[in-house]
């Protein structure tokens, strides 16, 4: 395995966890760190995980991207609410052969990076995981953990390079042959379960599963999202289609095993933080409306979430 | 004007205000009082109002309906969440010629009283008003104030008796020639504006008017409710129909003049009290679903409100 020079931009829960896994695999990982800079400088970076705890005593951390400079790979794990800062934060790390993995939630983010840095170097990553930040310098990986990765142009040779990056790490990686399909599939879970968890007042996903009305609402929302995804795939001349029946069944079965799961958007909500509404809900809604897909419940849900996010 | 013996069952904001207005008009008004009994016993009942402040130094108040006994009129102003107590609370006051005005929010309440006490004595009242309770013994009438009254069987001679009751009072009364239509018309305002005010986190109606998404959501919800109302009127073989275009225009214009109005359900929500979800949202939704009217947004809104009301 070729060891790579990597910049992690956005060292929140996901960035620290996956960056630490890459560092443990031998890569040369550099973290752009804001909130936890001083805590990690003095005390190190601590990961608890069912895959094995992990401590980086002296990780390479920086306050600016310029100090990191050009790298082979950027792992961008910014919160999508900071997407407008993406170009400025990544630019000092991006050289001619740099590749960028957008490890963020939502739709349309790779498009932004492609516009700034050339489409052929952009990848999207979807983390199916439960990772929270604890005290400064501490990250708690609670369960699950695979990443699905796709190339922005669905180039197979390029995708192989992204998969190779993780080959010696403890992170399971799945290949997506159609990034747009994978993004919509993830939204198929995220929109109903994260959205209802917030709009119902900040509840865990088991309550959505158990409550007849919320369970039905989740089904209807999921149907709207997956129908929108297939319309969007057709609009983008993609041959891939989401098999809604199988996916709905899979999502509800897997959610029923999760227990009192707190989606990240719900955690943001109850902690009074800005929620990632536009990337996860707003952009899918805009596309559905443009394509004429009937999405009455997604429309109302997104409207309510925007109102709940007001002023954050 | 014939002076009547009146029992006010449910002496909250509405019950104390309208009961005091009837007392000031000379009627013999008896209040069933729970929360404020001791405060009113020692300090009287105080109303502030743009129609003129009003104090009843020694109103006739009781802890049980049995102490009140039979009356000519019962004004039932219970919260609809207490509807199951209605029969027990009213029974001691209901004699052969007693009439009952159901001055409550929501759909299907008169049906309950008709089942308990005979349909021909039941009336429904809709208060278009803003009245809050202040400290114990104090009620604040802030604006508006007319009541629309209909007879449960739409009997004109009976309705005239109900109108007559208020003739010497400061309360404006409108006659409804079709109670079911009037109930649905009130829901046409109440469901979108109260519902969104709660589901968007406890906001005032001016925010719904100003926010493009919420304003559109209110329009769509209102359309669903009024269509359901017309289907319900048809189902009940009523000739009356709601003129949706005129009513939507009227509701939005009048709401735009209300300023930062707090619907009673929103006040319940922010104060952590039980909200009147089933009468205002659940019963209209059940009827719409039974009649096959498509109400996707009412369905989701009601589901969310039930979840937000959970455990209250």
């Amino acid at each position: 395995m070729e060891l790579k020079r990597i910049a992690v931009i956005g060292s929140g829960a996901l960035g620290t966890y996956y960056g630490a896994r890459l560092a443990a695999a031998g890569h040369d990982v550099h973290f752009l760190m804001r909130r936890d800079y001083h805590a990690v400088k003095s005390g190190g970076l601590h990961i608890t995980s069912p895959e094995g705890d992990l401590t980086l005593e002296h990780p390479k951390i920086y306050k600016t991207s310029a100090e990191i400079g050009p790298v082979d790979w950027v792992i961008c794990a910014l919160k999508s609410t900071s997407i407008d800062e993406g170009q400025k934060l990544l630019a000092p790390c991006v050289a001619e052969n740099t590749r960028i993995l957008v490890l963020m939630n939502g739709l349309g983010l790779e498009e932004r990076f492609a516009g700034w840095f050339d489409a052929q170097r952009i990848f999207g990553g979807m983390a199916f995981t439960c990772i929270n930040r604890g005290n400064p310098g501490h990250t708690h990986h609670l369960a699950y953990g695979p990443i699905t990765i796709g190339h922005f142009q669905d180039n197979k040779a390029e995708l192989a390079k992204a998969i190779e990056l993780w080959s010696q790490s403890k992170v399971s990686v799945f290949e997506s042959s159609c990034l747009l399909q994978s993004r919509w599939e993830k939204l198929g879970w995220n929109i109903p379960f994260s959205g209802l968890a917030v709009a119902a007042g900040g509840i865990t996903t088991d309550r959505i599963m158990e409550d007849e009305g919320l369970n039905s609402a989740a089904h209807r929302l999921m149907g709207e999202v997956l129908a929108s995804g297939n319309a969007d795939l057709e609009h983008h001349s993609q041959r891939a289609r989401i098999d809604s029946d199988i996916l709905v069944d899979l999502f509800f079965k897997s959610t029923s095993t999760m227990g009192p799961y707190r989606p990240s958007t719900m955690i943001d909500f109850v902690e009074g933080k800005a929620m990632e509404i536009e990337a996860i809900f707003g952009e899918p809604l805009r596309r559905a409306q443009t394509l004429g897909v009937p999405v009455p419940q997604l429309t109302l849900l997104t409207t309510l979430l925007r109102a709940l996010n007001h002023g954050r």
Side-chain angles (χ1 to χ4, degrees), chain A:
Chain A
M1 186 189 70
E2 207 180 338
L3 294 181
K4 299 291 188 184
R5 183 172 157 81
I6 298 171
V8 173
I9 306 296
S11 298
L14 258 63
T16 53
Y17 177 72
Y18 289 107
R21 287 293 179 207
L22 289 168
H27 293 293
D28 179 26
V29 180
H30 305 257
F31 295 89
L32 177 68
M33 204 160 276
R34 292 189 272 201
R35 194 196 77 172
D36 290 3
Y37 182 89
H38 293 291
V40 173
K41 195 79 187 171
S42 60
L45 178 60
H46 306 269
I47 313 282
T48 61
S49 168
E51 309 284 331
D53 293 353
L54 176 59
T55 292
L56 305 183
E57 294 290 356
H58 300 290
K60 296 172 179 169
I61 64 174
Y62 307 85
K63 287 185 168 177
T64 67
S65 319
E67 296 167 73
I68 301 176
V71 294
D72 299 312
W73 277 93
V74 173
I75 313 289
C76 181
L78 292 169
K79 205 169 162 182
S80 63
T81 47
S82 303
I83 182 64
D84 291 339
E85 298 177 60
Q87 181 174 22
K88 185 177 49 115
L89 288 172
L90 268 67
C93 303
V94 178
E96 194 182 342
N97 295 315
T98 303
R99 292 180 173 84
I100 299 170
L101 175 62
V102 180
L103 193 62
M104 298 170 65
N105 277 318
L107 197 64
L109 301 169
E110 289 89 2
E111 280 82 344
R112 301 289 300 278
F113 289 97
W116 296 324
F117 300 115
D118 298 338
Q120 74 272 10
R121 68 167 97 227
I122 308 297
F123 300 74
M126 285 135 286
F128 293 84
T129 188
C130 180
I131 307 181
N132 299 328
R133 298 172 92 174
N135 291 326
H138 292 259
T139 299
H140 303 298
H141 175 225
L142 300 174
Y144 313 96
I147 301 179
T148 294
I149 297 179
H151 180 251
F152 182 59
Q153 299 174 317
D154 296 323
N155 179 304
K156 284 187 183 181
E158 280 296 313
L159 181 55
K161 295 195 200 315
I163 304 298
E164 165 69 12
L165 180 70
W166 301 84
S167 62
Q168 299 300 309
S169 78
K170 284 202 171 182
V171 177
S172 306
V173 179
F174 297 115
E175 300 182 33
S176 165
S177 58
C178 177
L179 178 61
L180 187 62
Q181 177 186 5
S182 298
R183 281 283 177 211
W184 276 104
E185 289 183 351
K186 176 137 203 223
L187 292 169
W189 188 91
N190 219 355
I191 287 178
F193 284 102
S194 299
L196 293 173
V198 171
I203 62 174
T204 49
T205 55
D206 54 337
R207 290 248 334 257
I208 298 171
M209 292 297 292
E210 290 158 13
D211 180 286
E212 195 183 334
L214 291 171
N215 190 299
S216 297
H219 272 93
R220 284 188 299 266
L221 279 161
M222 198 177 286
E224 290 184 2
V225 173
L226 298 181
S228 303
N230 278 332
D232 197 34
L233 285 165
E234 188 177 348
H235 174 70
H236 283 86
S237 305
Q238 298 282 342
R239 277 186 306 177
R241 291 291 178 276
I242 300 164
D243 188 325
S244 298
D245 289 346
I246 288 178
L247 201 63
V248 169
D249 194 48
L250 177 74
F251 279 157
F252 276 83
K253 278 195 178 130
S254 61
T255 308
S256 71
T257 69
M258 287 186 194
Y261 179 71
R262 293 154 45 96
S264 61
T265 309
M266 175 277 217
I267 294 174
D268 283 339
F269 174 63
V270 299
E271 293 185 350
K273 293 178 183 158
M275 297 183 282
E276 300 182 283
I277 302 302
E278 289 313 312
I280 300 177
F281 302 88
E283 179 62 16
L285 174 61
R286 275 186 288 275
R287 294 196 190 184
Q289 288 174 330
T290 301
L291 296 168
V293 182
V295 287
Q297 314 219 27
L298 176 60
T299 304
L300 178 57
L301 180 66
T302 304
T303 299
L304 293 174
L305 294 173
R306 283 175 174 152
L308 292 170
N309 209 31
H310 183 77
R312 292 192 174 197

